[in-house]
Amino acid sequence: GWRRAEARRRGIAEQAVLPGHCAADLVDALLDHHEGDPALPAAIAAIPGLGARRLERHLPAFLDLARKEPGEAAPKADERGP
């Protein structure tokens, strides 16, 4: 998934890229909003623990995930964390 690829690209742990609970909430936001929904960025920004820095760095990638099929956007079970 995206999180794993980003972690490898940056040479850091997946949890540092996006904690599991944030990944799960991101999937929910993506499933609850359609591509181009003006409420999607605000829904993503409201994810607890996401933080301004991650939001600034990754919002374009998150919005790109909304353009993919639901199965492509959702992290695998091992990426969602506990």
Side-chain angles (χ1 to χ4, degrees), residues 1-73:
W2 170 85
R3 184 172 81 150
R4 179 170 288 149
E6 181 67 12
R8 284 183 182 153
R9 184 184 73 76
R10 293 176 49 202
I12 61 175
E14 290 179 32
Q15 284 291 102
V17 171
L18 189 67
H21 68 281
C22 292
D25 289 345
L26 176 61
V27 169
D28 290 341
L30 293 173
L31 293 174
D32 289 345
H33 297 83
H34 61 81
E35 176 187 354
D37 183 342
L40 180 56
I44 293 171
I47 293 173
L50 184 63
R53 188 171 183 175
R54 281 190 189 103
L55 183 65
E56 181 181 339
R57 175 178 280 163
H58 300 303
L59 183 61
F62 296 156
L63 295 175
D64 187 52
L65 290 173
R67 290 187 271 283
K68 298 185 182 311
E69 293 297 317
E72 293 178 88

